Amino acid sequence: MSFEHSSALESQPTTTRREDDPEYSDDPEFQRLTQSLSSQLFTLTSNISRLSNQVALLGTKRDTERVRERVHDLLEETRTGFKDVGEGVKKVQGWDDVNSTQKYHQQKLSREFQASLQEFQTVQRSAMEKQRASASAARTALDEQNDPTSPSHQELGGQQEQEQLRLASQNEVDFQDALIIERETEIRNIEQSVGELNELFKDVAHIVHDQGGQLDIIADNVEGVRTDTQGADRELRSASRYQRSSRNKACCLLLILAVILTVVLLAVFAS
């Protein structure tokens, strides 16, 4: 392709470019939506990384109320973000009259969404298991503290027992009980979130699967057309060769006839 021809193509307006051009975009709304969803997925991936680091601290010596607050906030923010992005992904997957470039973005976006959501579900389950173990241990310790027949109470002498009961005031017991209830509530919220996001994952996977079947049908049709075109091309080439061969034979025959006619005419004139 010459430089002049290339420059002429580049100078053409967007509406006249071919649909398989990577820069081709005849639907600005589709482009804005996919770019926005990709940006949101990037933020969610960052949240998952931060959340994973905080969940790793649960149940360790570095486990504090501040850590649990960060875990709670990141879980809430990230699960809400995935619900919003999931609805956007479903909207993108149901977009009508997409070209090859848009279809590529559809598939890329759904793959990234499913991979990120699976990673978040893994972190959520880890947080749930650690919260459950922590709440169970705290509940057991609180029950033993309130049970006068427990071994820990029986081992204490009179003054020591009174001192412990004085320090473990009712307000402290109520505070610990409230923390345990809060953790149990958080566990139920995580369980509910895991279930809801699983349904969202299935919805997107189902849409992608249906589109994959449609793509297979389209691909089969394209392959069939390509095969038919190749067969027609072979037939045309064969007919062209036959036609050239026939023309060559006709020329040879005409040449022979001309020679014979010339010989006959020379013989007549000579006599």
Side-chain angles (χ1 to χ4, degrees):
M1 178 183 295
S2 66
F3 175 77
E4 291 79 3
H5 184 56
S6 176
S7 300
L9 288 177
E10 292 177 357
S11 63
Q12 289 178 355
T14 303
T15 54
T16 62
R17 292 183 181 176
R18 295 168 51 234
E19 292 189 0
D20 57 356
D21 186 341
E23 299 299 326
Y24 176 79
S25 175
D26 62 346
D27 197 336
E29 183 180 354
F30 180 91
Q31 186 176 13
R32 282 194 298 268
L33 179 57
T34 54
Q35 288 177 347
S36 174
L37 292 173
S38 295
S39 177
Q40 292 178 65
L41 273 177
F42 180 81
T43 300
L44 291 175
T45 301
S46 177
N47 282 1
I48 293 171
S49 178
R50 292 162 53 203
L51 178 61
S52 180
N53 292 334
Q54 295 299 314
V55 169
L57 300 178
L58 296 178
T60 68
K61 293 181 180 180
R62 299 174 61 186
D63 186 357
T64 63
E65 283 304 312
R66 180 57 184 155
V67 169
R68 293 182 179 274
E69 287 177 5
R70 285 196 290 264
V71 169
H72 172 79
D73 293 343
L74 284 170
L75 282 172
E76 288 291 329
E77 178 184 347
T78 308
R79 70 168 62 109
T80 301
F82 268 111
K83 290 177 182 179
D84 293 340
V85 173
E87 293 303 319
V89 170
K90 288 195 289 186
K91 182 177 180 180
V92 168
Q93 297 301 319
W95 211 272
D96 295 328
D97 298 328
V98 294
N99 57 42
S100 58
T101 301
Q102 291 171 331
K103 192 168 293 295
Y104 165 77
H105 286 297
Q106 279 182 332
Q107 296 171 346
K108 180 174 180 292
L109 191 61
S110 64
R111 287 195 303 267
E112 291 176 349
F113 173 77
Q114 289 174 305
S116 296
L117 182 55
Q118 283 183 322
E119 185 179 0
F120 177 61
Q121 292 287 68
T122 300
V123 176
Q124 271 205 128
R125 292 188 181 95
S126 177
M128 181 174 61
E129 293 302 323
K130 290 195 174 186
Q131 292 274 29
R132 183 179 287 121
S134 176
S136 178
R139 176 67 69 184
T140 300
L142 188 62
D143 291 342
E144 289 181 354
Q145 183 177 349
N146 293 330
D147 185 6
T149 63
S150 66
S152 60
H153 277 75
Q154 294 176 1
E155 291 174 359
L156 297 173
Q159 292 183 349
Q160 291 176 325
E161 183 176 357
Q162 291 176 4
E163 182 66 14
Q164 183 190 35
L165 291 175
R166 185 182 67 82
L167 294 176
S169 63
Q170 186 61 41
N171 289 337
E172 178 65 19
V173 172
D174 292 343
F175 176 73
Q176 293 297 330
D177 191 51
L179 288 180
I180 293 171
I181 293 174
E182 182 180 335
R183 292 177 185 178
E184 291 173 342
T185 301
E186 180 69 19
I187 291 170
R188 287 193 294 271
N189 289 339
I190 296 175
E191 289 176 339
Q192 181 179 355
S193 172
V194 169
E196 291 174 350
L197 292 179
N198 275 340
E199 290 300 318
L200 180 59
F201 182 90
K202 291 178 182 178
D203 289 343
V204 173
H206 180 70
I207 294 173
V208 172
H209 179 268
D210 288 346
Q211 286 189 338
Q214 294 173 1
L215 290 176
D216 288 341
I217 294 174
I218 294 173
D220 290 342
N221 290 337
V222 171
E223 181 63 25
V225 171
R226 189 174 71 89
T227 302
D228 293 341
T229 302
Q230 290 176 343
D233 183 64
R234 285 194 297 269
E235 292 293 333
L236 288 173
R237 290 177 182 273
S238 177
S240 177
R241 287 195 299 268
Y242 176 79
Q243 188 177 14
R244 286 196 302 268
S245 177
S246 298
R247 269 201 310 269
N248 292 336
K249 290 179 179 179
C251 289
C252 290
L253 183 59
L254 288 174
L255 181 61
I256 293 172
L257 290 175
V259 171
I260 294 174
L261 181 60
T262 300
V263 171
V264 170
L265 292 175
L266 289 175
V268 171
F269 290 134
S271 61

